[in-house]
Amino acid sequence: MPLFHPAPCARPAAGRAASRFSGAVVAASGAGGARPPKAPPRRPRGKPRFSRQSAIKKSFQQEQVVFSTPVPADPTVAIIGGGASGLACASALAARGVRAVVFDTGMHGLGGRMATRMVDDGRRLVFDHAAQFFTASDQRFQELVDEWVEKGLAREWRGSIGELEAGGHFTAIPSSTPRYIGVRGMRPLADAMLPENDLIKVVRPSWISKLEPFNGLWRLFENEKPQGQYDAVVIAHNGKCANRLLSTSGLPQLTRQMKRLELSSVWALLAAFDDPLPIPQDNSYGTFEGAFVRDIDSLSWMANNTRKLFPLETNRPECWTFFSTASYGKKNKVPQENIPNATAEKVKRDMLGGVELALGLSTGSLQRPFYTRVQLWGAALPMNTPGVPCIFDPQGRAGICGDWLTGSSIEAAVLSGMSLGDHVADYFASGGERPEEFAIGLDDSLNRVEGHDIGQFPGLDPQKPQVAEPQLAPSI
């Protein structure tokens, strides 16, 4: 789903976007004629204050880019973001014969929320530290999943998952819909989304900091360094990075929709233990491998990566992924690019304390993990959605894709990318002669998203059997 976008964004490049391009410029407000310049207001002395409202208003008042140049016979699309939606968009474009260049900030690989962390300390520690598993309810996505399974990249996760309440009360969640995981973690699935042809180019790590319309094309820059010219551009990420990029782009309609998006913040804790944790067990489902945690502020999910990814191997350390609730993430939010040590230690204490509470252990009795890492996903999951598969501005030849447009799942991200790729290809095939027919999602209102703090899982059966009572924890 992405689950989360980990990469920090670059500082916005100085200067305004150029206005020299073939086509007209129409003021976003629709007002005609030039306005006389106003004298700058007097700034009060003291520390300057940032006004989010004024920043949003300024971005809405930018002039709309309108391209009037003919659509080329061999167009190229720039896709900013190499998560599931961006990769699906590139793949869909390539299937239609349209070239794409994917720019991604990933230092270790593509995938965005399909992230897997491997720690080589001699014991092969593996953590899915974003998306934990996924389901498939749409035939188009199911076909992609079937390809992953056939290639040995994905398999059905048959381990027990359910809900865990404080005190170790576990309720297994049966489901008629298969739950899938990456055999070697989630990241290899992202790499497999791109077809093996010369229509797609990947540039990473790359932080695109400016979009500039020029002579009927979009010019991209990374901290003032040119990164090519393109016939259309796709924004396949969100959060403050996307807001900064769009704020001076000449795409006020896309900017407005992106700024309406609200995102949660969630802390992730990766922890490796020498010995198995004392997990509640029942006769029907055995020891659980994943659980949605209820009514514990510092914890919303816990999963045993070792049992999930390596069910037949023994004598391996247990590698667990823990996620906080969105409310805890909001209360303890800091700049994710520079987490203070004191905050990191507090979060680790709180979350491990939440694990003790969830498992019904006494305070301080949980064994000490030999490896830990905390990470804040500051733009974790969408809290509202317009309910459209993609957004496209035909006047500016620019679009947005991402799971947030219809929900918060890997399936939603992939389907959004597919939809936008096909939509842009259709636009190019039309020659751009009827642009008004290709506008989509520019004015749709956003509504609240329902789901777990770690995302949505379409088709997951909410029915629950009897609660498994906790067993006495062995001495640690």
Side-chain angles (χ1 to χ4, degrees), residues 3-5 52 56 113 237-240 242-243 255-266 326 330 333 377-386 403-408 444-450 452-453:
L3 186 62
F4 314 118
H5 291 290
R52 181 175 182 271
I56 293 176
R113 300 178 190 178
H237 69 120
N238 53 42
K240 63 182 181 181
N243 289 338
T255 303
R256 179 176 61 248
Q257 291 295 70
M258 186 69 82
K259 284 186 176 292
R260 286 174 173 170
L261 169 64
E262 299 174 13
L263 294 161
S264 66
S265 297
V266 172
K330 182 178 181 179
K333 188 173 182 179
W377 304 108
L381 289 169
M383 300 171 66
N384 55 354
T385 173
D403 65 340
W404 67 275
L405 294 170
T406 56
S408 59
D444 292 77
S445 59
L446 277 66
N447 300 306
R448 306 304 296 178
V449 171
E450 299 295 334
H452 300 282
D453 277 12

Side-chain angles (χ1 to χ4, degrees), residues 64 70 79 103 142 150 164 179 224 228 241 252 264 275 420 428 450 460 462:
Q64 170 71 47
I79 299 175
F103 295 91
Q142 184 68 62
E150 184 178 348
L164 182 64
R179 306 184 300 263
E224 299 302 328
C241 304
S264 66
D275 300 314
L420 183 57
F428 283 135
E450 299 295 334
L460 198 65

Side-chain angles (χ1 to χ4, degrees), residues 115-198:
T116 301
R117 179 170 292 276
M118 299 183 182
V119 181
D120 186 9
D121 71 339
R123 290 188 275 189
R124 293 169 57 203
L125 309 181
V126 183
F127 304 86
D128 277 331
H129 69 139
Q132 298 292 287
F133 69 97
F134 57 92
T135 57
S137 61
D138 185 281
Q139 184 58 36
R140 294 168 296 171
F141 183 57
Q142 184 68 62
E143 291 175 0
L144 176 61
V145 174
D146 290 342
E147 289 181 15
W148 288 339
V149 172
E150 184 178 348
K151 293 177 181 178
L153 297 173
R155 65 173 173 83
E156 187 175 345
W157 184 18
R158 299 183 182 274
S160 177
I161 72 168
E163 294 185 351
L164 182 64
E165 297 179 6
H169 303 275
F170 176 69
T171 306
I173 303 176
S175 177
S176 58
T177 299
R179 306 184 300 263
Y180 296 97
I181 57 173
V183 170
R184 300 175 187 86
M186 291 294 184
R187 178 165 287 152
L189 302 182
D191 295 330
M193 291 181 66
L194 296 180
E196 296 181 1
N197 59 44
D198 59 356

Side-chain angles (χ1 to χ4, degrees), residues 86-110:
L87 298 177
C89 184
S91 181
L93 287 168
R96 300 284 296 275
V98 179
R99 298 182 182 275
V101 179
V102 179
F103 295 91
D104 187 63
T105 61
M107 297 291 291
H108 304 289
L110 296 167

Side-chain angles (χ1 to χ4, degrees), residues 27-52:
S29 62
R35 296 181 179 179
K38 294 182 179 180
R42 295 182 61 185
R43 182 174 297 175
R45 294 182 180 180
K47 185 177 179 180
R49 291 181 298 174
F50 173 77
S51 170
R52 181 175 182 271

Side-chain angles (χ1 to χ4, degrees), residues 15-21 65 210-214 219 248-249:
R16 295 184 59 185
S19 59
R20 294 166 50 209
F21 58 93
V65 172
K210 184 169 68 173
L211 304 175
E212 180 179 271
F214 184 82
R219 298 200 301 191
T248 58
S249 63

Side-chain angles (χ1 to χ4, degrees), residues 150-347:
E150 184 178 348
K151 293 177 181 178
L153 297 173
R155 65 173 173 83
E156 187 175 345
W157 184 18
R158 299 183 182 274
S160 177
I161 72 168
E163 294 185 351
L164 182 64
E165 297 179 6
H169 303 275
F170 176 69
T171 306
I173 303 176
S175 177
S176 58
T177 299
R179 306 184 300 263
Y180 296 97
I181 57 173
V183 170
R184 300 175 187 86
M186 291 294 184
R187 178 165 287 152
L189 302 182
D191 295 330
M193 291 181 66
L194 296 180
E196 296 181 1
N197 59 44
D198 59 356
L199 291 177
I200 301 176
K201 178 183 177 181
V202 175
V203 180
R204 72 167 182 85
S206 177
W207 287 261
I208 298 301
S209 55
K210 184 169 68 173
L211 304 175
E212 180 179 271
F214 184 82
N215 286 342
L217 296 169
W218 281 106
R219 298 200 301 191
L220 271 61
F221 296 86
E222 181 177 358
N223 294 328
E224 299 302 328
K225 177 184 177 182
Q227 289 288 359
Q229 300 184 131
Y230 306 90
D231 301 285
V233 65
V234 167
I235 308 298
H237 69 120
N238 53 42
K240 63 182 181 181
C241 304
N243 289 338
R244 287 174 178 173
L245 190 62
L246 285 169
S247 62
T248 58
S249 63
L251 298 166
Q253 293 175 292
L254 295 190
T255 303
R256 179 176 61 248
Q257 291 295 70
M258 186 69 82
K259 284 186 176 292
R260 286 174 173 170
L261 169 64
E262 299 174 13
L263 294 161
S264 66
S265 297
V266 172
W267 284 95
L269 169 63
L270 310 182
F273 301 87
D274 284 315
D275 300 314
L277 298 188
I279 301 301
Q281 181 174 344
D282 68 38
N283 296 328
S284 300
Y285 294 93
T287 303
F288 75 76
E289 296 180 13
F292 297 99
V293 181
R294 299 301 178 199
D295 301 323
I296 297 177
D297 187 44
S298 63
L299 202 64
S300 70
W301 168 262
M302 56 189 296
N304 187 335
N305 295 277
T306 303
R307 289 183 60 87
K308 181 178 77 170
L309 299 175
F310 309 103
L312 301 181
E313 297 188 25
T314 58
N315 299 321
R316 292 180 64 107
E318 283 198 348
C319 297
W320 285 81
T321 296
F322 305 108
F323 287 125
S324 76
T325 63
S327 63
Y328 181 88
K330 182 178 181 179
K331 287 185 293 187
N332 294 274
K333 188 173 182 179
V334 295
Q336 68 183 57
E337 303 88 352
N338 187 23
I339 299 174
N341 291 334
T343 301
E345 287 300 316
K346 176 184 182 301
V347 169

